[in-house]
Amino acid sequence: MYLNCHSFHSLRYGTIPLEELIPQAVSCGVKAMALTDINTVSGIYDFIKNCEQADIKPLVGMEFRSDYRLRFIGLAKNTSGLAEMNRYLTHHNFEKIPLPPFAPDFKDVFTIYPLENSPDELKENEYIGIRPDQLQKLVLSAWRERQHKMVILQPVTFRSEEEHKLHRILCAVDRNIVLTRLKEDDCCAITDKMIPVESLLANYQHYPHIISNTEKIIEDCHFVYDFESPKNKKYYTSSRKSDMKLLCSLARQGLVWRYGTKNIPAKERMEKELKVIDQLEFSGYFLITADIIRFSNSQGFLHIGRGSGANSIVAYCLGITDICPLELDLYFERFLNVNRKSPPDFDIDWSWRDRDVILEYIFNRYTYEHVAFCGTNVEFKYKSIFREVGKVFGLPKEELDMLAKNPMKFHTTNDVVREVQHYGMMLEKYPNQRSMHSCGVLISEEPITNYTPLEMPPKGFPIALFDMHVAESIGFEKFDILSQRGIATIDESVRLIERNRGIRINIRDTSISKNEHAANGYLAQGKTIGCFYIESPAMRGLLRRLKCDNYKTLVAASSIIRPGVAQSGMMKEYIFRHNHPSKFEYFHPVFQEQLGETYGIMVYQEDVIKIALHYGGLPAADGDVLRRAMSGKGRSKSALQKVKDNFFACAAQKGHPAALSEEIYRQIESFAGYSFCKAHSASYAVESYQSLYLKVHFPIEFMVAAINNEGGFYRIEVYIHEARMAGAVIHNPCVNSSLPSAALYGSDLYLGFMHIKGMKIEMAQFIVTDRKRAGEYRSLEDFINRVPMGIESVKSLIFTGAFRFTGKGKNQLLVIASILLNKVKPENRAPMLIQEPAREYKLPTLERSIFEDAFDEIELLSFPVSCTVFDLLQTTHRGDIKVRDLPSCHKKQVRMLAYLVSTKQVPTKRGNMYFGTWIDNEGAYFDTAHFPDSLASYPFQGGGCYLLRGIVEIDYHFPTITIHKMAKMPFMKDPRYMDAKDQYKTQALIREDVSTTERQPYPQEHEINLPRHKMKT
């Protein structure tokens, strides 16, 4: 009887979470109901499943609204009806045109109009919905005569009086107005909630025809959805048979390319995988992915195939990934197996500069009708909740800032704030708006609009109105088309090296970089700043603690640094066993045989499968069920229990003692949820090696590429420091040499215009374009004549030294610029047809010191170039020791003077502590630890140089200083200012990189609960 129900997917309108709508219907005796969220079908698929479990007939549809007004309701008779509505709404979304008052000629859709918007004539499939409180209008002849086309309309939007107010708050948020400005017809009626079916029908007892019309619509709607069959594009060619033939041919060609003709294990593994791929009908998925990679290679793009797809030797032979699963003992079942119900996917990274070209190819190759991005629901988050709800209650900006920026326990309390908190917390996790998934692309066999309406964001790629979880549940395997700056840095490095040195490098050939001797040396020393995934202070410390000097150890390091593994204590235990291999025993021979590479520790998700297979005797596919269930990705408790029972039964058959099996299962259970996919780590390690190889052998080019791709973990200043340490000569921006980003000529590195604060990219590009068009700028006057730039921007260029080629001092240039520009707006200045000779101005010579230039640079570039930060200090003291001395100072108190690079706040059981990364005046890096008691008396005071005192602790080859005292060192007076209050303000502009983590404190050694000795049985 309920033909118009809203869930919270009716954004900023409905208040009922989808999973709570069905239980309410059951309690009201509902046997059939329709989900009709506003202009979306986001929830219909979960709705169908939930209804079927509750023995309720599901009807699916949509409520069509425009300008906040209900136009009509559409109910799909079948799947064709849903497609009709989806295409209709998609057209209006794409064309950005409002929905008209009346529905089009739907063929398989029932249309229900509200009484106030009903057309004079109704088609056969069209009805008027009449609400209980409108029944008295039927005494009027105009409406009485139309009863034969009326149905029950009892909208459902909220459940309680409290939720009705929440609904009103949502409506006010949507309109960006205060609650008191809402009009009555801006919101739903106070009666728009579900009541027992008997009570609803009692309202219409004198109108049997209306009841029978409603029952007929329910009876005639037969929306049946097949959740089991794949929905992706079925075939790359024309049939499953020809797809498999092509896939086998390409895979076998790739096998020869990767392994030669005599590698029997590789051939056997590939044939085994091909059988499973064929059995699960995934050949088309592999071929489409391979096609995308083929196009990428044809464009000269670098890509990284990662994720569980790297467990596949077929993917390796097709060139989708560069990870040999035999080398790393990667199980195909981790990616694809006969028991896996959820579809797999490949994660493929491109440079952020190339990704859109790849996307355009996919959409053009497989057509916009069949391709769309997954959608995603952006939920109300803590800060946005209090801002949005607070505005609705009329709170001023200052109070909104206070609510948004502070935990609730620090909020001022009054009646209004309590209401904001109460309703704000009700909204937590409610969807707020729809957006595009960052990387998930669907390629459908049928038109995408058979399943969902589409929206077209400014980016120009259509978005489905359901998220990746729904996509998986209804049969789509998404293609993850990702981008990252690490690949862009590698790619640009290769081009810079060829342009600057004439050396062409095939960085795709991982044999030149993976385990390369010099790169391994850098790796073991943690000299990895700028390198993908291995440059953070924590990772560099881990590499040094492990003396990591090979690929397999790097793969392990890339995994154990992950939050889950580290938080479980496995990182600490791995470091101990790596450095003390004689101080532990393998718990069981299987652990030594299968996990010897990681010292008997289940570091990787694949390790769960190994132990289940080789100790318990389970099939590898069942081991993956175990892994997925324990890592929170498996939804079936019954499936987990079945596999668990089977594990103990098989272990007993193999003669293992029950107590031993129970302890091993406990270890699996303890660490399966923390472990990381080995194939992910291996893929990361390959890219890390590629970037490290370039850093080792071509450091200046590599650092310029890192700068131009906006770095990574650190700010640009750190990468410029690395370039200087590698031998680059750093130059300030110059209008005749610089580009928008950093430019490299031999070993001369010119900072880009984009490094100047306030410089717009369009203006930076104009300077370069006009220089190419008309030649170098001959003078400041010539520049001003050719470039439409305002006085403030010209001053910024002068202060950074961008006109030093003129031979004039900054003060002279400032006077000239002021004379030429002070009374002229840049938009009113036109280039001269014939260049007049520059007028000579006789000005007094005003000397400037190098320190004045350095302070200019700090203001405009955020760091000094003309000298170092150490040169700007009042003190000439540089500490008692340098970084090179630390290895010989274990347990000694030292005093050092250093420049702060970064800080990281982490929780401990004693409170928050900090880790610091620093540079000494010789340019070398070191790390410090600051415990809560030390921080209480000696806190960090922002970026700059500090005098540090503490005890050196060498932890597995890695020296850190536990700080007891520290003091920030003042700069000299800024000579550009006469007023004393201004002479120290520039120092406050010096930055540091700041990061925090909200994780639980890492466990202590005795809490890790991983035995270091064999179990006595």
Side-chain angles (χ1 to χ4, degrees):
M1 292 297 133
Y2 286 94
L3 304 183
N4 184 208
C5 297
H6 304 103
S7 73
F8 63 6
H9 287 296
S10 291
L11 301 182
R12 301 185 179 192
Y13 189 88
T15 66
I16 309 174
L18 184 62
E19 65 273 14
E20 297 176 23
L21 183 62
I22 310 303
Q24 186 189 17
V26 171
S27 69
C28 288
V30 174
K31 294 301 180 186
M33 64 186 294
L35 182 66
T36 54
D37 280 316
I38 297 171
N39 296 342
T40 188
V41 296
S42 299
I44 63 169
Y45 297 103
D46 285 338
F47 171 75
I48 292 168
K49 287 182 176 179
N50 292 339
C51 279
E52 289 173 349
Q53 290 174 3
D55 200 25
I56 294 174
K57 180 176 181 178
L59 283 68
V60 301
M62 225 184 303
E63 183 174 294
F64 292 86
R65 284 185 176 243
S66 182
D67 297 325
Y68 300 114
R69 295 293 173 257
L70 171 58
R71 302 307 187 193
F72 52 89
I73 299 156
L75 296 175
K77 297 179 184 179
N78 47 40
T79 53
S80 297
L82 177 64
E84 279 187 276
M85 290 189 288
N86 290 341
R87 281 193 284 274
Y88 174 72
L89 184 59
T90 297
H91 170 71
H92 286 80
N93 289 341
F94 280 19
E95 299 299 324
K96 303 290 190 288
I97 51 179
L99 292 167
F102 307 125
D105 291 331
F106 287 135
K107 291 182 174 56
D108 291 299
V109 176
F110 287 114
T111 302
I112 301 170
Y113 292 97
L115 200 66
E116 60 274 12
N117 189 49
S118 56
D120 294 336
E121 294 185 11
L122 294 168
K123 304 180 185 78
E124 183 182 350
N125 63 325
E126 294 183 336
Y127 293 85
I128 299 170
I130 185 162
R131 302 158 63 106
D133 58 4
Q134 295 172 328
L135 288 170
Q136 68 271 22
K137 292 188 178 184
L138 297 185
V139 300
L140 301 174
S141 59
W143 293 115
R144 188 170 61 248
E145 293 171 1
R146 306 187 75 184
Q147 283 186 51
H148 67 289
K149 292 291 283 183
M150 289 185 176
V151 295
I152 297 171
L153 183 61
Q154 173 61 45
V156 176
T157 302
F158 63 94
R159 291 173 291 185
S160 62
E161 185 177 337
E162 181 184 48
E163 277 193 9
H164 184 255
K165 184 163 185 179
L166 182 65
H167 159 75
R168 295 183 72 248
I169 289 169
L170 285 168
C171 290
V173 167
D174 198 36
R175 289 160 175 78
N176 196 27
I177 60 176
V178 294
L179 206 55
T180 53
R181 288 187 56 198
L182 274 179
K183 298 191 289 288
E184 186 178 346
D185 60 354
D186 286 338
C187 307
C188 73
I190 194 67
T191 55
D192 283 6
K193 58 184 179 181
M194 195 173 283
I195 60 175
V197 171
E198 297 82 3
S199 303
L200 177 62
L201 291 175
N203 292 317
Y204 295 87
Q205 60 183 320
H206 301 302
Y207 305 97
H209 208 86
I210 294 177
I211 295 174
S212 64
N213 283 344
T214 309
E215 290 172 340
K216 184 175 185 305
I217 286 180
I218 292 171
E219 185 180 340
D220 288 349
C221 285
H222 298 286
F223 189 92
V224 178
Y225 188 81
D226 175 13
F227 286 94
E228 298 301 319
S229 66
K231 304 302 185 298
N232 272 48
K233 181 174 172 59
K234 285 186 179 180
Y235 312 122
Y236 177 73
T237 57
S238 57
S239 68
R240 176 181 171 184
K241 184 177 180 181
S242 58
D243 268 8
M244 272 311 297
K245 183 178 179 182
L246 177 59
L247 180 62
C248 291
S249 173
L250 293 175
R252 287 163 186 155
Q253 290 173 37
L255 185 71
V256 175
W257 165 51
R258 292 290 198 185
Y259 295 101
T261 56
K262 297 180 181 178
N263 193 316
I264 302 303
K267 183 178 179 181
E268 290 175 348
R269 166 74 175 257
M270 191 188 73
E271 295 300 334
K272 173 188 168 186
E273 285 190 17
L274 287 171
K275 286 180 181 177
V276 176
I277 292 168
D278 186 26
Q279 184 179 348
L280 296 177
E281 300 183 33
F282 280 123
S283 54
Y285 185 82
F286 272 78
L287 287 170
I288 291 170
T289 306
D291 172 65
I292 296 167
I293 298 305
R294 179 203 58 75
F295 170 76
S296 173
N297 291 339
S298 75
Q299 301 299 300
F301 295 163
L302 181 65
H303 79 276
I304 302 290
R306 59 177 176 83
S308 59
N311 289 61
S312 166
I313 199 169
V314 172
Y316 180 55
C317 291
L318 293 175
I320 296 170
T321 69
D322 281 314
I323 306 301
C324 171
L326 297 182
E327 178 186 10
L328 294 173
D329 195 20
L330 300 177
Y331 282 31
F332 180 60
E333 289 79 6
R334 168 65 182 85
F335 177 58
L336 200 60
N337 63 73
V338 292
N339 288 341
R340 182 165 180 170
K341 301 302 180 186
S342 62
D345 54 26
F346 287 110
D347 298 332
I348 307 175
D349 289 319
W350 278 272
S351 161
W352 61 283
R353 301 177 190 274
D354 300 334
R355 178 176 181 252
D356 281 357
V357 178
I358 298 296
L359 290 172
E360 285 174 10
Y361 172 75
I362 293 170
F363 277 85
N364 291 328
R365 169 74 171 79
Y366 299 100
T367 76
Y368 277 70
E369 188 179 6
H370 294 266
V371 186
F373 265 94
C374 273
T376 185
N377 286 318
V378 180
E379 297 174 340
F380 281 99
K381 298 292 195 303
Y382 185 89
K383 288 183 179 180
S384 66
I385 287 174
F386 288 123
R387 284 199 188 281
E388 297 282 10
V389 178
K391 277 194 293 184
V392 165
F393 281 89
L395 296 180
K397 182 182 182 302
E398 298 75 25
E399 199 161 357
L400 294 176
D401 290 341
M402 185 276 295
L403 294 175
K405 293 177 181 177
N406 294 296
M408 282 177 59
K409 63 183 178 182
F410 296 126
H411 289 181
T412 55
T413 53
N414 56 53
D415 289 344
V416 175
V417 169
R418 276 191 286 272
E419 276 207 275
V420 170
Q421 291 173 336
H422 176 70
Y423 288 103
M425 288 300 94
M426 286 179 69
L427 281 180
E428 201 167 27
K429 301 299 181 184
Y430 271 44
N432 181 21
Q433 57 191 22
R434 286 186 290 270
S435 185
M436 177 173 22
H437 188 276
S438 59
C439 59
V441 175
L442 309 176
I443 304 177
S444 175
E445 175 69 19
E446 299 178 14
I448 289 277
T449 49
N450 282 8
Y451 310 99
T452 174
L454 302 173
E455 291 180 349
M456 183 69 79
K459 188 111 176 142
F461 298 118
I463 305 174
L465 300 194
F466 50 64
D467 63 21
M468 58 176 282
H469 303 293
V470 172
E472 287 185 3
S473 74
I474 67 176
F476 280 104
E477 303 111 37
K478 70 184 189 322
F479 296 79
D480 281 341
I481 310 298
L482 303 112
S483 68
Q484 48 152 285
R485 295 184 183 276
I487 293 177
T489 298
I490 293 169
D491 210 24
E492 185 168 346
S493 297
V494 170
R495 291 199 301 270
L496 271 173
I497 292 161
E498 184 171 3
R499 187 166 68 241
N500 201 44
R501 301 201 192 190
I503 300 172
R504 181 173 293 184
I505 298 168
N506 179 15
I507 200 65
R508 288 186 180 85
D509 179 6
T510 56
S511 65
I512 68 169
S513 59
K514 197 173 73 175
N515 272 334
E516 195 265 344
H517 177 73
N520 281 341
Y522 270 54
L523 198 62
Q525 299 171 60
K527 295 169 69 173
T528 54
I529 286 180
C531 299
F532 172 77
Y533 200 71
I534 55 173
E535 64 165 336
S536 71
M539 190 64 180
R540 290 188 300 106
L542 176 60
L543 295 173
R544 293 180 69 177
R545 287 182 175 95
L546 297 174
K547 278 194 174 177
C548 175
D549 63 355
N550 61 81
Y551 173 58
K552 288 190 176 182
T553 304
L554 179 58
V555 173
S558 298
S559 182
I560 63 175
I561 195 71
R562 299 286 294 186
V565 184
Q567 193 170 312
S568 73
M570 289 304 95
M571 179 169 75
K572 188 174 287 188
E573 184 66 15
Y574 181 91
I575 295 169
F576 172 84
R577 294 187 179 193
H578 180 81
N579 284 280
H580 303 294
S582 63
K583 292 187 178 180
F584 75 95
E585 296 175 322
Y586 285 95
F587 189 71
H588 184 274
V590 166
F591 283 72
Q592 185 168 10
E593 294 162 12
Q594 300 302 321
L595 307 182
E597 189 180 291
T598 55
Y599 312 105
I601 299 171
M602 281 178 272
V603 168
Y604 308 116
Q605 292 174 351
E606 287 84 350
D607 294 342
V608 174
I609 302 175
K610 287 182 182 180
I611 297 302
L613 173 65
H614 294 283
Y615 175 83
L618 290 178
D622 280 359
D624 189 56
V625 172
L626 199 66
R627 175 198 66 79
R628 288 179 62 79
M630 289 181 172
S631 62
K633 295 182 180 179
R635 297 182 179 181
S636 173
K637 289 185 178 179
S638 60
L640 174 60
Q641 188 61 47
K642 182 180 176 182
V643 173
K644 180 179 180 179
D645 293 342
N646 200 16
F647 173 86
F648 284 108
C650 291
Q653 279 185 354
K654 294 184 79 170
H656 296 309
L660 178 64
S661 298
E662 285 172 8
E663 170 57 22
I664 288 178
Y665 192 83
R666 184 199 67 77
Q667 290 183 32
I668 292 173
E669 211 166 29
S670 297
F671 303 120
Y674 292 114
S675 54
F676 188 55
C677 173
K678 186 176 184 179
H680 264 297
S681 295
S683 304
Y684 282 163
V686 166
E687 187 177 347
S688 297
Y689 258 116
Q690 289 173 324
S691 54
L692 182 58
Y693 174 85
L694 295 168
K695 176 185 170 77
V696 170
H697 296 285
F698 309 98
I700 298 176
E701 288 84 358
F702 178 76
M703 282 305 156
V704 171
I707 292 164
N708 289 346
N709 287 282
E710 300 181 22
F713 185 88
Y714 306 95
R715 60 193 183 278
I716 296 298
E717 177 188 4
V718 177
Y719 301 106
I720 290 169
H721 170 74
E722 283 285 292
R724 181 187 284 112
M725 295 295 288
V729 180
I730 311 300
H731 299 275
N732 278 324
C734 171
V735 295
N736 280 334
S737 299
S738 290
L739 301 172
S741 51
L744 183 64
Y745 310 98
S747 60
D748 290 304
L749 192 166
Y750 283 82
L751 299 181
F753 298 120
M754 290 305 298
H755 299 135
I756 302 172
K757 289 180 184 176
M759 182 66 69
K760 294 181 178 177
I761 181 63
E762 297 81 8
M763 188 56 65
Q765 290 168 342
F766 187 96
I767 294 170
V768 175
T769 302
D770 196 71
R771 190 174 73 210
K772 289 178 180 176
R773 178 191 64 83
E776 291 189 349
Y777 300 102
R778 294 183 290 277
S779 63
L780 174 61
E781 295 91 334
D782 181 37
F783 179 87
I784 288 172
N785 182 58
R786 288 162 56 180
V787 180
M789 183 180 281
I791 182 67
E792 293 305 318
S793 295
V794 171
K795 283 183 178 179
S796 293
L797 287 171
I798 291 170
F799 280 123
T800 54
F803 295 100
R804 57 191 178 276
F805 69 91
T806 64
K808 294 182 170 66
K810 290 182 181 180
N811 294 325
Q812 292 173 289
L813 293 167
L814 287 169
V815 172
I816 295 170
S818 297
I819 293 170
L820 292 174
L821 285 176
N822 264 347
K823 295 182 180 180
V824 182
K825 293 182 178 179
E827 60 267 23
N828 296 334
R829 192 170 76 250
M832 298 178 188
L833 292 175
I834 300 174
Q835 181 70 47
E836 293 181 2
R839 185 183 304 174
E840 287 295 327
Y841 299 94
K842 291 187 178 180
L843 300 167
T845 302
L846 299 171
E847 296 297 330
R848 286 174 62 91
S849 72
I850 192 174
F851 301 120
E852 287 180 273
D853 289 338
F855 281 110
D856 284 341
E857 290 153 5
I858 291 171
E859 282 195 355
L860 289 164
L861 301 172
S862 300
F863 51 88
V865 176
S866 300
C867 64
T868 73
V869 284
F870 295 97
D871 298 324
L872 296 175
L873 295 175
Q874 291 181 15
T875 181
T876 57
H877 179 67
R878 294 295 179 261
D880 298 337
I881 66 165
K882 305 300 179 192
V883 171
R884 52 185 154 79
D885 304 314
L886 289 176
S888 61
C889 294
H890 183 48
K891 294 297 182 182
K892 293 180 181 178
Q893 180 172 283
V894 298
R895 194 169 61 155
M896 297 185 71
L897 190 133
Y899 180 52
L900 181 58
V901 173
S902 66
T903 61
K904 182 172 185 178
Q905 176 187 317
V906 299
T908 72
K909 293 182 178 178
R910 292 163 50 195
N912 286 331
M913 69 173 292
Y914 277 77
F915 292 103
T917 298
W918 309 77
I919 297 174
D920 71 8
N921 74 306
E922 293 181 342
Y925 297 90
F926 68 98
D927 293 85
T928 57
H930 305 250
F931 288 95
D933 51 353
S934 166
L935 288 166
S937 302
Y938 303 100
F940 283 96
Q941 297 177 334
C945 293
Y946 288 72
L947 187 62
L948 307 168
R949 192 171 80 183
I951 303 294
V952 178
E953 306 280 353
I954 298 181
D955 179 34
Y956 299 112
H957 331 292
F958 177 55
T960 60
I961 305 176
T962 300
I963 299 299
H964 296 156
K965 291 185 177 181
M966 68 176 179
K968 188 173 180 181
M969 296 289 97
F971 276 13
M972 65 174 63
K973 294 178 182 179
D974 188 338
R976 302 170 306 159
Y977 295 103
M978 300 299 293
D979 195 327
K981 68 179 175 59
D982 296 325
Q983 290 176 339
Y984 295 99
K985 68 179 186 180
T986 310
Q987 182 175 5
L989 301 176
I990 293 287
R991 297 168 49 207
E992 85 270 35
D993 294 305
V994 179
S995 60
T996 64
T997 179
E998 299 302 322
R999 62 167 170 79
Q1000 293 296 312
Y1002 287 163
Q1004 300 301 304
E1005 191 169 305
H1006 66 279
E1007 298 173 310
I1008 293 172
N1009 204 21
L1010 184 66
R1012 287 181 181 167
H1013 301 283
K1014 293 178 182 176
M1015 185 175 182
K1016 294 179 180 178
T1017 56

